[in-house]
Amino acid sequence: MKKNIGAKLALYPMPLVVVGTMNGSKPTWTLVGHVGIIGHDRVMVSLAAAHFINGLIKENKTLSINIVDEKILPEADYSGSVSGIKTDKSELFEYEIGDAGAPVISAAPLTMECGVEDIYQSPNFESFICSIKNTYVDEAHLTEDGKINYGTLKPILFEFPTYEYLQTGEIIGKCLSIKDEIKEN
């Protein structure tokens, strides 16, 4: 039997990412646990409205979404625990400037460089609606046919109610093929 626990956000865990943008000639970074897909060509990054980085994203109209894996988790966690107003986070990660002008974390296994298309305001939050300009993937995480292999990439997931990090697990089946098991039963 299910129990009604109220109007709770319960779409967790989510991929953990570090968002980057430029602060003048230096990058700045923040940890983000609220990202989403809103189409095959659009993603959403939701940040508390008070974040320092929001103003820079609005100014630059570009950002990077860097997938966090276990290797960069300590720096990623730190990037979300200090404010860019008080702390220069530019040297936290080695980076390159992507083709669209956003900073790309060199050690991140996957980075999407995005352009800001719109901003959706909700109480205390700003959600940046972004088009994907470029996707950079460590070659070790590509299949022979050039697709992303999340089995080797192993992104870290963020679970909001407990503020815990999880790591992805094993493949349990192919999408739209498990339905065949219903026919067999």
Side-chain angles (χ1 to χ4, degrees), residues 28-123:
T28 191
W29 316 98
T30 196
L31 189 66
V32 179
H34 298 117
V35 294
I37 299 168
I38 60 170
H40 286 185
D41 64 343
R42 297 279 190 276
V43 293
M44 186 251 340
V45 174
S46 183
L47 293 163
H51 278 295
F52 169 72
I53 200 169
N54 293 23
L56 297 169
I57 293 170
K58 290 174 190 174
E59 178 183 319
N60 297 326
K61 303 236 185 292
T62 60
L63 59 84
S64 63
I65 301 172
N66 301 271
I67 298 288
V68 175
D69 65 3
E70 194 170 8
K71 180 175 53 174
I72 67 169
L73 183 58
E75 293 85 359
D77 186 68
Y78 178 80
S79 77
S81 67
V82 295
S83 170
I85 294 173
K86 298 176 182 174
T87 304
D88 178 358
K89 298 188 257 184
S90 64
E91 295 186 21
L92 191 54
F93 300 99
E94 287 187 34
Y95 70 96
E96 301 170 25
I97 300 298
D99 293 340
V104 173
I105 297 174
S106 300
L110 184 149
T111 301
M112 290 181 292
E113 190 179 21
C114 300
V116 176
E117 302 295 332
D118 199 3
I119 302 170
Y120 175 77
Q121 306 272 338
S122 60

